[in-house]
Amino acid sequence: MHFDVLTLFPEMFEGFLGSSIMKRAIDQGLVTTSVVNFREYSTNKHRTVDDTPYGGGGGMVLKPEPLFRAVEDLTKDEPVRPPVLMMSPQGTPYTQKKAEELARHDRLILLCGHYEGFDERIREHLVDEEISIGDFVLTGGELPAMVLMDSVIRLIPGVLGNESSAETDSFTTGLLEYPQYTRPAEFRGWRVPDVLLSGHHAEIDRWRRRQALKRTLERRPDLLESAELTEEDRAWIREMTQGNGGRKD
Ligand code: 9D3
């Protein structure tokens, strides 16, 4: 899979692409990247990429020419232009489902702004999708682009070890994870739950399922709406939410 990243701050990607699982995916030839400073595609002698907004007001707006020229140059040999994704606070909220969808493409082009807004014609005539990574304000689209790449790259077959497919499955159960423990069985007086030391695998599975349900109910009740629940799960949730004054214990 190939990623083209268009940014004014290409150096921000060095640590990310040079570390850990990303580096391994690149070294294995599973992923290729071109991180391009779109200032190189500016059409004027001062290499300008932004300008003041028509109609007045503060801030600067990214000009259309550099980004159009950059995308057109990068895709000049492609019979079909790959999806162009704009990282934007006004974008559709990013989800695991979107990551899975994007992982099916063999090439993606990511546009990153930094403070500035984009001239609307970039949205209207160059971009296929606008993506936000959540309701908080960052200084640019570079970190969101790295978040997107990380989430997509780990889904590419061969990038992670064997745990990967099982892990994807557990996300699709739609519940938060149950608590985990390792040795020692007692640390500073805090004991690991006895059931986990019991060797009764059916009981352990039941305990973990209930803990996952309890945690999801407490922290992310919205997830329960779409989770796949058995009749036993529903009974357990009823027990946790009723007859105790509404407390979820
Ligand atoms: C208030 C008007 N704009 C400033 C000129 C808003 C603004 C634009 C760009 C605020 C922040 C940014 C930089 N952020 C992103 O480019 C961004 C982002 C984010 O801030 N949060 C979550 N997802 C994303 S994706 C891109």
Side-chain angles (χ1 to χ4, degrees):
M1 183 165 188
H2 184 78
F3 292 86
D4 299 281
V5 182
L6 299 182
T7 172
L8 296 173
F9 299 90
E11 65 283 358
M12 286 183 71
F13 291 82
E14 286 169 14
F16 169 63
L17 295 173
S19 310
S20 172
I21 289 169
M22 298 303 120
K23 179 175 178 353
R24 218 175 58 207
I26 292 165
D27 291 347
Q28 289 181 103
L30 298 169
V31 171
T32 53
T33 62
S34 336
V35 182
V36 173
N37 188 337
F38 60 86
R39 192 177 295 283
E40 291 169 18
Y41 290 91
S42 171
T43 45
N44 66 41
K45 64 167 183 244
H46 300 294
R47 304 215 306 158
T48 312
V49 292
D50 56 8
D51 204 342
T52 54
Y54 275 119
M60 295 293 273
V61 178
L62 288 169
K63 294 162 65 61
E65 299 93 322
L67 283 166
F68 274 82
R69 293 179 73 226
V71 170
E72 284 158 4
D73 184 39
L74 290 167
T75 58
K76 59 183 182 295
D77 298 324
E78 290 274 12
V80 182
R81 184 184 286 177
V84 176
L85 311 180
M86 174 190 276
M87 309 316 298
S88 151
Q90 287 121 275
T92 307
Y94 193 58
T95 60
Q96 186 63 24
K97 179 163 166 272
K98 177 58 69 175
E100 286 164 15
E101 191 182 309
L102 294 178
R104 294 197 282 269
H105 288 92
D106 56 13
R107 186 172 185 186
L108 295 173
I109 301 175
L110 309 182
L111 309 186
C112 308
H114 208 92
Y115 282 136
E116 306 96 332
F118 292 85
D119 183 286
E120 192 63 16
R121 291 164 292 188
I122 298 169
R123 291 201 163 78
E124 288 178 345
H125 304 295
L126 187 65
V127 165
D128 296 295
E129 277 192 73
E130 278 183 69
I131 295 175
S132 160
I133 62 159
D135 294 340
F136 40 85
V137 183
L138 302 170
T139 56
E142 285 78 12
L143 286 167
M146 289 185 243
V147 166
L148 183 149
M149 290 170 76
D150 191 282
S151 66
V152 170
I153 289 169
R154 66 180 287 289
L155 295 175
I156 297 170
V159 168
L160 298 184
N162 289 340
E163 58 187 312
S164 63
S165 44
E167 209 223 307
T168 307
D169 287 346
S170 95
F171 196 98
T172 58
T173 68
L175 297 178
L176 299 183
E177 287 182 5
Y178 53 76
Q180 301 208 75
Y181 297 86
T182 187
R183 276 176 284 276
E186 183 172 334
F187 170 69
R188 299 186 180 179
W190 300 307
R191 288 200 44 79
V192 171
D194 283 334
V195 61
L196 298 178
L197 310 177
S198 70
H200 294 125
H201 295 294
E203 261 193 67
I204 291 169
D205 288 347
R206 221 162 61 98
W207 182 85
R208 285 179 167 169
R209 181 73 183 177
R210 289 183 174 200
Q211 290 292 314
L213 289 165
K214 178 172 182 286
R215 188 170 270 193
T216 308
L217 187 63
E218 286 168 354
R219 300 183 186 182
R220 293 293 307 277
D222 58 300
L223 294 180
L224 289 174
E225 317 264 323
S226 36
E228 277 182 45
L229 302 177
T230 66
E231 209 31 65
E232 195 188 1
D233 292 335
R234 292 178 197 286
W236 177 243
I237 290 167
R238 259 179 266 121
E239 211 176 294
M240 282 190 287
T241 52
Q242 292 167 7
N244 59 5
R247 275 174 290 107
K248 290 155 188 165
D249 53 11

